[in-house]
Amino acid sequence: YPPERIRNFSIIAHVDHGKSTLADRLLELTGTIKRGHGQPQYLDKLQVERERGITVKAQTATMFHRHTVGGTNSSDKQDSPSFLLNLIDTPGHVDFSYEVSRSLAACQGALLVVDAAQGVQAQTVANFHLAFESNLTIIPVINKIDQPTADPERVKSQLKSLFDLDPEDALLTSAKTGKGLDQVLPAVIERIPSPDGKRDSPLRMLLLDSYYDEYKGVICHVAVVDGALRKGDKIGSAATSQTYEVLDVGIMHPELTSTGVLFTGQVGYVVSGMRSTKEARVGDTLYHAKFTVDPLPGFKPAKHMVFSGLYPADGSDFDALNHAIERLTCNDASVSVMKETSTALGMGFRCGFLGLLHMDVFHQRLEQEYGARVISTIPTVPYIFEYADGSKIQVQNPAALASNPGKRVAACWEPSVIATIIIPSEYVGPIITLCSERRGEQLEYSFIDSQRALMKYRLPLREIIVDFYNELKSITSGYATFDYEDSEYQKSDLVKLDVLLNGQPVDAMATIVHSLKAQRVGRELVDKLKKLIDRQMFDITIQAAIGSKVVARETLSAMRKNVLAKCYGGDVTRKKKLLEKQKEGKKRMKRIGSVDIPQEAFHELFKIS
Ligand code: GDP
Ligand code: MG
């Protein structure tokens, strides 16, 4: 396939607008997967993705489609030239916008899918801008036109006013009924430019992604920008200067299909005897080892926005957890991992994530795919503290601040984000209230049509990772949509809030909060802990303190908890069930000092802002 007959495109959309369904339909239409293959959403391969209905890792699939440019009747379809189309699926959630921009780097165009009833939403705006900045040709697709509340005309006018897209260019589809789908691939072929690499130049290819396969080892997804790659070639990495022999090369059709060669403009996979995905740096340029080439522009590295400690639920399981984390990070290089030790929880890890959902997904995969049982500590964002002597540290673990007791803090900074919120106009008031409670600063307030407002706020990252999204949804009856991008660090007035049980500080429960909120957060932490911890054989004092100043205090009086007291009547099976449930609950207890703490306590505490 010469570059003129290759198209690389991606589908971008707000979550639930039908991106994965459309991708599946296109794969079916081209015979790449069988119709009704029984596994909904082919590209969402991970169990967590299926369960949560989100895409976490971008996947690629190659399909073939016959088409005559300029349009003719369908009878000469057999004689039409065949095109090679690479579809690169992108994750929909804001945590993974890093993955989105990475997938877009290999594309020349994108289908911008918008739900005909919901209209443009916050992620549509964010994804449009990512695609626009990458100079992609954008094809608007108004999907779900089968819905009774579909209003494609309104969506067209939003596309025009927000993105200056010509309403004439919009395709109308239903990925459910199949209506309009036959227009999609012709539009891809006719409107999206072919990749413009140089066929006769030395090989340059962009490393898009990598993962570890038990049988084949490290598999790299690559986009060949210039030249061609063949099995047996010797390739080098611009990032590490290591060289490798190409053992296998091919396309994802949609399973790995060996072709022995990849030409200019193609997207495919390479197996080259790399031992660990750590050698496969995403954004790296690979080239023929006998030439020297200028590296391609790489991607922005992943930024870790949320940190949390991960500890084995059972202290002796450290090696098992270590092993599980090592294997999982082989397939998710966007997590950073460092060993750490907590007085309360023993040996564990400090992990950095792209966002809260990313963190949850990582936990879920550790437990589901690797059978690890973990306790995670209160997540934190990376703060910067400057001491009076001028030294600065990035604080990824609130407990780390204690190691400098003699040093006076001179200034601190916290990361902020620019949030885009789209809402029906009647909800503007509640949004303003919510954002000002969360220390937000309004940057923009405008209308995208007669009924919908777009608001932009600068908010401290800390304030949006704490239950912001749920609250936003609940005060707007689910109508608000939200997306954000990183912004700079802002000076702030932060203090470390300690939790003490029977006078002993629990390092794994320390948090950093804004000084104006410290009193209230301290109160809520103490109240919450009092509810979460079961009464034990002795009194427990629970305190929240800033330095030596106690801001809240409660006592949990001694009493043996009798689960059976709740049972009325003498139903034996019910009693048994309760006792079993209590036993089950005990497994996830952590003993700190002499106090047993249920594992949810660590996570629950973070929900307090
Ligand atoms: P994604 O989050 O953008 O990948 O969205 P999905 O493809 O997972 O689709 C979200 C939901 O919308 C699923 O329940 C789909 O079955 C449904 N859906 C997708 N396309 C259509 C459509 O054209 N019409 C209708 N009525 N539902 C659709
Ligand atoms: Mg999806």
Side-chain angles (χ1 to χ4, degrees):
Y1 280 85
E4 306 84 77
R5 282 201 277 124
I6 297 175
R7 300 291 182 273
N8 296 322
F9 72 105
S10 165
I11 307 183
I12 53 181
H14 188 81
V15 66
D16 275 351
H17 282 195
K19 188 186 48 203
S20 304
T21 313
L22 180 65
D24 269 12
R25 292 295 97 80
L26 297 180
L27 292 174
E28 286 173 6
L29 211 77
T30 52
T32 313
I33 55 174
K34 278 198 203 75
R35 198 170 300 264
H37 50 81
Q39 289 196 324
Q41 261 122 61
Y42 184 83
L43 294 172
D44 293 345
K45 279 188 182 137
L46 302 172
Q47 189 183 348
V48 277
E49 294 182 326
R50 295 235 168 85
E51 274 177 22
R52 292 176 182 237
I54 50 161
T55 304
V56 174
K57 299 274 299 172
Q59 304 279 353
T60 305
T62 296
M63 13 185 206
F64 299 92
H65 188 65
R66 287 191 179 279
H67 178 75
T68 302
V69 177
T72 43
N73 53 35
S74 54
S75 63
D76 57 7
K77 189 125 195 217
Q78 280 314 315
D79 313 322
S80 300
S82 169
F83 285 79
L84 185 155
L85 310 174
N86 293 307
L87 164 61
I88 301 177
D89 193 26
T90 58
H93 191 273
V94 339
D95 277 10
F96 304 102
S97 60
Y98 153 74
E99 292 259 345
V100 177
S101 51
R102 181 162 128 180
S103 332
L104 296 184
C107 297
Q108 285 73 44
L111 300 173
L112 180 69
V113 176
V114 183
D115 183 316
Q118 306 241 302
V120 169
Q121 296 297 344
Q123 266 170 261
T124 320
V125 177
N127 284 332
F128 170 81
H129 288 300
L130 284 176
F132 189 75
E133 280 159 24
S134 317
N135 287 319
L136 304 192
T137 299
I138 291 161
I139 302 176
V141 177
I142 302 175
N143 187 38
K144 305 203 192 182
I145 51 166
D146 58 287
Q147 293 182 109
T149 50
D151 186 354
E153 289 310 311
R154 182 159 148 235
V155 180
K156 283 184 188 171
S157 76
Q158 293 175 346
L159 291 172
K160 172 76 187 146
S161 75
L162 275 169
F163 310 135
D164 200 26
L165 290 171
D166 189 345
E168 297 278 300
D169 290 346
L171 305 177
L172 301 182
T173 65
S174 167
K176 189 177 170 189
T177 67
K179 197 155 184 236
L181 292 183
D182 54 337
Q183 304 297 312
V184 178
L185 294 177
V188 165
I189 292 170
E190 303 214 356
R191 298 193 211 164
I192 295 174
S194 51
D196 62 354
K198 295 176 213 65
R199 286 162 82 176
D200 304 322
S201 295
L203 170 75
R204 284 203 297 176
M205 60 185 178
L206 196 56
L207 204 163
L208 296 174
D209 198 3
S210 67
Y211 64 98
Y212 189 81
D213 178 278
E214 250 170 69
Y215 303 102
K216 296 188 181 231
V218 177
I219 296 177
C220 296
H221 287 183
V222 294
V224 177
V225 176
D226 297 321
L229 175 76
R230 286 182 177 77
K231 188 175 170 178
D233 284 353
K234 281 238 162 11
I235 55 169
S237 148
T240 65
S241 307
Q242 296 261 48
T243 57
Y244 305 93
E245 186 183 330
V246 176
L247 304 174
D248 185 18
V249 51
I251 57 176
M252 286 74 89
H253 186 52
E255 302 298 345
L256 302 187
T257 308
S258 194
T259 57
V261 60
L262 281 177
F263 294 108
T264 311
Q266 279 191 290
V267 176
Y269 75 90
V270 178
V271 178
S272 65
M274 287 184 183
R275 274 179 307 276
S276 142
T277 48
K278 292 195 178 77
E279 292 173 56
R281 308 248 175 105
V282 167
D284 190 6
T285 301
L286 302 173
Y287 54 91
H288 277 150
K290 59 186 176 224
F291 294 107
T292 41
V293 298
D294 292 330
L296 298 157
F299 314 107
K300 282 185 279 180
K303 253 199 236 159
H304 300 115
M305 304 301 274
V306 178
F307 290 83
S308 132
L310 290 186
Y311 292 85
D314 169 353
S316 62
D317 277 352
F318 177 81
D319 289 334
L321 180 61
N322 188 12
H323 185 64
I325 288 182
E326 249 173 35
R327 286 185 41 201
L328 184 50
T329 49
C330 263
N331 280 331
D332 187 354
S334 52
V335 179
S336 74
V337 182
M338 256 166 47
K339 288 208 169 77
E340 78 173 11
T341 309
S342 151
T343 2
L345 300 174
M347 282 218 291
F349 303 88
R350 174 86 2 199
C351 299
F353 304 97
L354 305 172
L356 266 198
L357 177 70
H358 183 214
M359 182 179 88
D360 278 355
V361 166
F362 190 79
H363 285 180
Q364 195 182 337
R365 292 187 67 187
L366 268 183
E367 304 211 331
Q368 278 177 349
E369 294 170 33
Y370 298 92
R373 296 198 303 127
V374 294
I375 286 182
S376 63
T377 65
I378 308 180
T380 186
V381 301
Y383 296 102
I384 292 176
F385 277 70
E386 185 182 310
Y387 294 104
D389 65 6
S391 60
K392 273 191 192 175
I393 53 163
Q394 196 197 56
V395 180
Q396 299 171 353
N397 178 0
L401 274 179
S403 55
N404 292 299
K407 284 183 158 185
R408 197 174 61 79
V409 172
C412 24
W413 289 264
E414 61 181 323
S416 74
V417 300
I418 309 276
T420 303
I421 299 167
I422 292 183
I423 29 160
S425 36
E426 63 264 36
Y427 296 110
V428 165
I431 294 293
I432 294 178
T433 311
L434 172 67
C435 290
S436 65
E437 272 168 13
R438 302 286 179 133
R439 300 188 281 133
E441 173 200 345
Q442 196 182 89
L443 303 176
E444 193 184 320
Y445 173 21
S446 58
F447 286 86
I448 62 170
D449 62 26
S450 57
Q451 294 146 41
R452 271 170 204 275
L454 181 153
M455 307 184 85
K456 279 198 184 209
Y457 271 88
R458 176 188 295 286
L459 287 152
L461 175 63
R462 208 271 169 198
E463 300 286 342
I464 61 154
I465 59 174
V466 185
D467 233 23
F468 180 79
Y469 189 61
N470 288 340
E471 192 144 353
L472 188 76
K473 284 279 183 196
S474 84
I475 62 171
T476 61
S477 319
Y479 284 116
T481 58
F482 161 71
D483 202 349
Y484 65 84
E485 57 189 283
D486 306 345
S487 188
E488 66 249 32
Y489 272 79
Q490 301 234 292
K491 210 158 193 173
S492 187
D493 187 9
L494 304 166
V495 291
K496 180 182 172 217
L497 192 64
D498 285 311
V499 172
L500 295 86
L501 295 180
N502 284 340
Q504 287 295 315
V506 182
D507 60 354
M509 288 188 181
T511 57
I512 291 170
V513 291
H514 194 268
S515 66
L516 293 175
K517 290 195 164 187
Q519 180 87 35
R520 207 194 74 216
V521 173
R523 170 47 54 196
E524 286 180 26
L525 277 176
V526 166
D527 289 347
K528 190 99 168 218
L529 270 177
K530 191 177 176 187
K531 286 203 196 92
L532 287 167
I533 299 177
D534 289 334
R535 288 168 186 241
Q536 290 169 29
M537 302 295 282
F538 43 85
D539 284 356
I540 303 168
T541 54
I542 307 168
Q543 294 168 301
I546 302 167
S548 55
K549 188 174 138 232
V550 174
V551 296
R553 179 196 166 99
E554 283 288 334
T555 304
L556 186 66
S557 51
M559 197 185 86
R560 182 170 208 158
K561 195 181 171 202
N562 184 354
V563 285
L564 298 183
K566 281 187 197 153
C567 252
Y568 306 105
D571 185 337
V572 179
T573 55
R574 187 143 169 246
K575 266 187 194 169
K576 253 194 188 153
K577 256 194 195 145
L578 271 174
L579 283 169
E580 263 161 30
K581 214 169 145 205
Q582 193 193 32
K583 228 162 110 197
E584 184 71 18
K586 279 229 173 77
K587 279 192 206 150
R588 291 283 177 112
M589 288 287 178
K590 199 76 201 178
R591 174 160 288 188
I592 292 175
S594 50
V595 183
D596 284 332
I597 298 176
Q599 98 127 91
E600 318 88 73
F602 293 94
H603 212 80
E604 285 297 312
L605 290 184
F606 184 64
K607 295 206 181 125
I608 297 166
S609 51

